[in-house]
Amino acid sequence: MQWAARQQFHHRSVLMQTWGAVLLLVACALWIWLGFLLVDQQDVYCYRVSMQCKVVTEWPKQLAILGISAPLAVLGAALLVGGSVRRQTSAHVFQVIEMQKSEERDRAKQ
């Protein structure tokens, strides 16, 4: 029974890490898109016929992308770190349990 619970715990930890990595990749893709929008920004658009110029800003779109990507990055980092810590902690706990059992067996032999 202990092995099944350990495998299930490990599976949930890997799932947490996978979701964290996916969310971080989505946030990175949004940041790359934002970078392209910032580089390709044209502030003034002039009409050829009337020679009138308008200021064109894409700040709402850029801020929306940044506003969406920031929570995704935070959540992704939290899930990735949480999953890693769970796996390492469970491995440590099981090693301690095995060492305790080994010490108990050695004491029983003596």
Side-chain angles (χ1 to χ4, degrees), residues 34 58-68:
L34 178 63
E58 294 189 5
W59 285 108
K61 183 178 183 180
Q62 294 167 352
L63 289 175
I65 292 171
L66 184 63
I68 291 170

Side-chain angles (χ1 to χ4, degrees), residues 26-90:
V26 169
C28 286
L30 288 172
W31 288 335
I32 290 170
W33 184 25
L34 178 63
F36 282 124
L37 287 177
L38 289 173
V39 169
D40 193 34
Q41 190 175 22
Q42 294 180 352
D43 294 328
V44 177
Y45 181 76
C46 296
Y47 296 103
R48 289 186 182 182
V49 177
S50 63
M51 295 306 284
Q52 293 177 348
C53 295
K54 281 187 172 181
V55 177
V56 178
T57 61
E58 294 189 5
W59 285 108
K61 183 178 183 180
Q62 294 167 352
L63 289 175
I65 292 171
L66 184 63
I68 291 170
S69 67
L72 287 178
V74 170
L75 183 61
L79 285 173
L80 186 65
V81 169
S84 297
V85 168
R86 280 174 56 116
R87 285 180 64 188
Q88 291 174 358
T89 303
S90 70

Side-chain angles (χ1 to χ4, degrees), residues 104-110:
E104 288 173 6
R105 283 191 299 261
D106 286 344
R107 287 183 192 152
K109 287 181 183 178
Q110 294 176 357

